[in-house]
Amino acid sequence: MQKKILIIEDEPTLQKVMTKMLQDEGFEIKNALDGETGLLVASEFNPDLILLDLILPRKNGFEVLDQLKQNEETKAIPVLVLSNLENSQDIQRAVSLGAIGYLVKSNYDIENIIKKIKEVIN
Amino acid sequence: MTEKFLESFNFKKQCEQYGISLWQCPSFIFLSVGLLNCASLITAYFVGQKYNQSPELLISIITALSIFLFILGHGLSSGFRKIAETNKSKIEFVSIASHQLKTPLSSIRWLLGLILKDQENLSTDTLSYLNDIRSSNERLIKLVNDLLNVNRIETGELSFNPQEVDLITVIQENIAQFLNLITASNIKINFDYPPEAKVWCDPEKLNLVLQNLIENAVKYTKKDNQKHQINIQIENEEDKWKVSIKDQGVGIPKQDQPFVFEKFFRSNNALRQQTIGTGLGLYLVKSIIKIAKGKVGFLSQEKEGSTFWFTLPRAKE
């Protein structure tokens, strides 16, 4: 069965590149450009993995993560944070809220990001 | 109003804000000097009364002098506050600007990854231009990261999570990372290490130190079409492990040696050899090793090469 990934990312270019790369890998992709929409799509689409940015309009990534984990329908979905914030406080906060991983976007090539995503989803 | 007045006497808080101790804080020193002055004024009055015909004259002179000192001191401490605030806003500006730069830089990096995925559709020229864009983009990302790290060091916000790190593996990984550059520069790397070497350090920060030192050794190796060597060595030093990286590079002129670890410093020698570089690398190395409770230093002779070394505490057993 085709695995489903939800990308919550407000930067159109990053979102476009990730969508293309992951579609080429055979995943079904849905996008959300802000936090509120992300939450809505998450419960309708019921993805196998959520890729979450932290600085987002209409509800930031921390709030989204917290609400995903509070909600019975979405709390089992693994969430991988992809952000350019790299303070250890931010990383710890995301992990304590239930993120299974944290990648700093500017530190990785897209190939490595895709590799990590595949590791997590399989 | 009263609160604001009382707040102006909370020197500890004010000085913490600027990251300096109480004894370096102009407003505190100014108040202490003022109190001392008052005390001497009163003493002078009593002494004067006993030994002097007109203590009032003496006191008026001292009072006038004190007022003058007060005005001077006030100017000094408000000047300091202005400078400190300018510095603080500079740090904030660099931090915000750097974060804002990271998103478009990641976009370019990822887009290039996407384009370069299907290389067979690209002409050799296009491919080489794209690779040039990629290396410029990587340089920019490194610069932004360095600036952010320098900012964090200056505000004392650099995170440091020490743990047991296998020094040998980390060095091998870092050498592997530079393998393309090393081969392209006609350099041979020798790595000597003991059977085991575990240190107590933050692994990410240790990577930063090694990346900077190895990259420098490769960058500044003489480009004279001869095969050159870089020797990396781990040695025992009391309760620490010492890593040294020896190159056969251009070396650092004597007059520049005192400044190599300073922020934004670049030797003229280095500029002749290499235009790439920000002068932040060695400043970061020194700051990180200091936080890790190690030592750092170098030996260098112009035209012969340099040996940079650092020590790190051994992992607790």
Side-chain angles (χ1 to χ4, degrees):
Chain A
M1 233 206 48
Q2 199 182 23
K3 294 232 165 127
K4 299 189 286 186
I5 300 178
L6 165 63
I7 304 170
I8 310 177
E9 165 69 67
D10 65 328
E11 174 67 27
T13 318
L14 293 179
Q15 182 237 91
K16 201 159 75 184
V17 176
M18 273 195 287
T19 307
K20 170 86 176 85
M21 294 289 266
L22 289 167
Q23 276 170 347
D24 287 355
E25 295 289 336
F27 296 109
E28 186 186 344
I29 307 296
K30 272 221 160 94
N31 279 294
L33 288 164
D34 64 78
E36 288 281 0
T37 319
L39 282 171
L40 280 175
V41 181
S43 48
E44 281 166 20
F45 183 50
N46 194 25
D48 298 286
L49 177 69
I50 295 175
L51 303 176
L52 179 65
D53 186 17
L54 289 178
I55 302 174
L56 288 169
R58 298 174 68 213
K59 212 162 258 175
N60 69 46
F62 292 115
E63 293 169 301
V64 173
L65 182 56
D66 190 33
Q67 290 187 21
L68 284 170
K69 294 295 161 188
Q70 302 281 343
N71 185 344
E72 283 300 319
E73 279 179 61
T74 53
K75 78 174 188 197
I77 307 171
V79 179
L80 182 63
V81 173
L82 287 173
S83 168
N84 267 331
L85 296 177
E86 51 180 338
N87 293 326
S88 56
Q89 295 102 299
D90 291 323
I91 299 176
Q92 270 158 19
R93 190 169 161 210
V95 171
S96 68
L97 283 172
I100 49 158
Y102 193 113
L103 300 176
V104 179
K105 289 184 279 201
S106 62
N107 292 352
Y108 292 94
D109 282 328
I110 186 69
E111 297 90 348
N112 293 327
I113 295 270
I114 302 294
K115 213 159 85 186
K116 299 258 178 197
I117 292 172
K118 279 161 77 182
E119 273 169 30
V120 169
I121 207 164
N122 293 321
Chain B
M1 186 72 194
T2 354
E3 251 177 54
K4 208 174 167 192
F5 180 72
L6 286 175
E7 185 79 349
S8 67
F9 284 97
N10 192 351
F11 298 122
K12 199 164 176 282
K13 194 177 153 198
Q14 285 174 23
C15 302
E16 268 172 7
Q17 208 181 326
Y18 302 131
I20 50 177
S21 75
L22 208 55
W23 292 104
Q24 290 176 310
C25 197
S27 39
F28 178 72
I29 296 172
F30 179 44
L31 183 81
S32 314
V33 170
L35 288 175
L36 220 72
N37 206 349
C38 289
S40 60
L41 203 74
I42 294 163
T43 321
Y45 178 75
F46 285 113
V47 173
Q49 222 175 18
K50 215 171 166 186
Y51 300 105
N52 200 312
Q53 295 298 319
S54 55
E56 289 77 14
L57 179 69
L58 181 73
I59 293 308
S60 328
I61 295 170
I62 299 179
T63 312
L65 267 173
S66 301
I67 293 171
F68 181 65
L69 274 178
F70 179 82
I71 297 168
L72 221 62
H74 184 72
L76 183 78
S77 79
S78 61
F80 165 80
R81 202 166 302 136
K82 265 193 196 138
I83 294 171
E85 261 150 30
T86 317
N87 189 43
K88 217 173 133 200
S89 61
K90 183 198 79 186
I91 288 176
E92 277 163 13
F93 168 75
V94 173
S95 166
I96 294 168
S98 311
H99 269 299
Q100 292 302 326
L101 279 169
K102 278 185 128 187
T103 307
L105 286 172
S106 322
S107 297
I108 298 175
R109 182 176 198 167
W110 289 14
L111 275 171
L112 282 168
L114 187 64
I115 300 170
L116 290 167
K117 212 178 95 177
D118 301 309
Q119 298 200 354
E120 54 276 16
N121 300 328
L122 303 168
S123 73
T124 330
D125 276 351
T126 314
L127 197 63
S128 112
Y129 299 147
L130 286 172
N131 277 320
D132 290 346
I133 299 178
R134 175 180 260 189
S135 62
S136 298
N137 173 254
E138 269 163 24
R139 261 171 64 197
L140 270 173
I141 291 174
K142 185 176 182 305
L143 171 64
V144 169
N145 281 336
D146 282 356
L147 278 173
L148 279 169
N149 280 327
V150 166
N151 242 10
R152 286 187 197 118
I153 286 168
E154 294 195 334
T155 51
E157 283 168 6
L158 187 81
S159 66
F160 193 80
N161 306 311
Q163 49 187 274
E164 187 180 298
V165 187
D166 184 357
L167 196 52
I168 301 167
T169 320
V170 176
I171 293 180
Q172 281 167 339
E173 282 167 3
N174 273 284
I175 295 175
Q177 218 187 315
F178 285 103
L179 218 54
N180 284 337
L181 186 65
I182 290 165
T183 332
S185 315
N186 197 20
I187 292 171
K188 186 173 170 259
I189 290 213
N190 293 323
F191 179 27
D192 281 334
Y193 50 88
E196 196 195 59
K198 298 226 166 80
V199 288
W200 191 248
C201 191
D202 181 315
E204 269 180 47
K205 305 296 175 308
L206 177 58
N207 268 327
L208 253 173
V209 167
L210 286 165
Q211 274 165 22
N212 275 302
L213 293 180
I214 297 176
E215 197 184 350
N216 276 353
V218 177
K219 261 190 345 195
Y220 296 118
T221 288
K222 279 174 270 184
K223 310 217 166 13
D224 53 6
N225 295 325
Q226 280 183 43
K227 186 114 189 149
H228 289 291
Q229 269 187 17
I230 291 173
N231 291 305
I232 304 179
Q233 199 176 25
I234 304 180
E235 288 167 292
N236 202 350
E237 201 178 82
E238 289 166 29
D239 57 341
K240 294 194 164 72
W241 287 113
K242 179 179 179 181
V243 177
S244 44
I245 296 159
K246 182 173 194 276
D247 65 49
Q248 296 176 324
V250 290
I252 304 160
K254 265 234 143 47
Q255 72 270 22
D256 287 343
Q257 293 192 2
F259 312 109
V260 277
F261 287 113
E262 276 177 23
K263 199 170 45 174
F264 296 116
F265 178 77
R266 297 201 67 211
S267 163
N268 279 331
N269 202 23
L271 288 169
R272 266 203 304 279
Q273 173 81 3
Q274 259 293 347
T275 46
I276 297 171
T278 55
L280 291 175
L282 289 176
Y283 174 77
L284 280 174
V285 167
K286 191 188 169 196
S287 310
I288 291 170
I289 296 294
K290 197 175 155 200
I291 299 171
K293 299 193 172 66
K295 286 201 173 103
V296 63
F298 68 95
L299 277 171
S300 184
Q301 185 145 22
E302 214 178 341
K303 296 186 183 124
E304 298 288 317
S306 310
T307 306
F308 277 85
W309 58 264
F310 64 88
T311 62
L312 283 175
R314 286 165 192 254
K316 293 153 199 160
E317 270 149 34

